[in-house]
Amino acid sequence: MKKLMYVLGVVLLAGIVTAFTMSASALNPGAAGPFEDVVSSIKSGDASSLSRYLDNTVEINISGKSSSYSKSQAEIILKDFFSKNQVKSFELIHQGEGGGGSRFGIGNMGTSGGAYRTSFFLQKKGGSMVLNELRFENK
């Protein structure tokens, strides 16, 4: 009987902890998601972190030179860009949603190599969001 009461107590406690955790996450709708992770990665100039969200094919435009790259090529291009342009600041000035759950962001980025108007586009693919376009345009 003591064993049964112990098991029921543990199950009840686990249920309370689960309910508390779920309600806490529901009360925090600003919890980081793909969009916020992309913004954070751009702010820190972290190509590796950014590459987690890259689509299989990504269009990258740097100073008017645009091309489509595979995910692995895009990561190399971004690492090279951020190594030559250490991010000093990034301010998200506009964000929005498109059809099908897509999202975009536009911001101003200050780097060691100059100022860029930066825009990115996330598209819903399957059950996740993927980054399919990045633009770094000289200001």
Side-chain angles (χ1 to χ4, degrees):
M1 186 69 165
K2 278 187 175 181
K3 223 178 202 180
L4 178 61
M5 292 302 282
Y6 176 77
V7 169
L8 287 175
V10 169
V11 169
L12 179 62
L13 181 62
I16 291 170
V17 168
T18 302
F20 177 77
T21 304
M22 292 177 82
S23 66
S25 62
L27 292 174
N28 187 8
F35 185 88
E36 294 77 12
D37 287 350
V38 168
V39 170
S40 178
S41 297
I42 292 171
K43 279 184 180 180
S44 60
D46 186 350
S48 296
S49 176
L50 197 57
S51 70
R52 293 184 308 150
Y53 295 100
L54 296 177
D55 198 356
N56 294 330
T57 303
V58 185
E59 184 176 328
I60 298 178
N61 182 322
I62 299 175
S63 303
K65 182 182 173 197
S66 182
S67 193
S68 289
Y69 300 98
S70 70
K71 184 175 183 168
S72 57
Q73 288 173 317
E75 184 175 2
I76 292 167
I77 297 293
L78 291 170
K79 281 183 179 179
D80 183 58
F81 175 79
F82 286 128
S83 73
K84 292 176 181 171
N85 299 280
Q86 284 80 30
V87 178
K88 301 208 181 281
S89 64
F90 179 76
E91 178 188 4
L92 187 66
I93 56 173
H94 185 69
Q95 61 179 305
E97 295 183 23
S102 64
R103 292 188 70 185
F104 67 91
I106 301 170
N108 293 320
M109 182 171 65
T111 74
S112 59
Y116 294 90
R117 181 176 176 92
T118 304
S119 54
F120 59 92
F121 302 88
L122 287 158
Q123 179 180 1
K124 194 163 195 140
K125 193 173 190 183
S128 59
M129 297 290 281
V130 292
L131 188 59
N132 60 8
E133 187 175 345
L134 270 162
R135 296 173 184 250
F136 302 99
E137 301 163 332
N138 290 79
K139 284 187 78 175

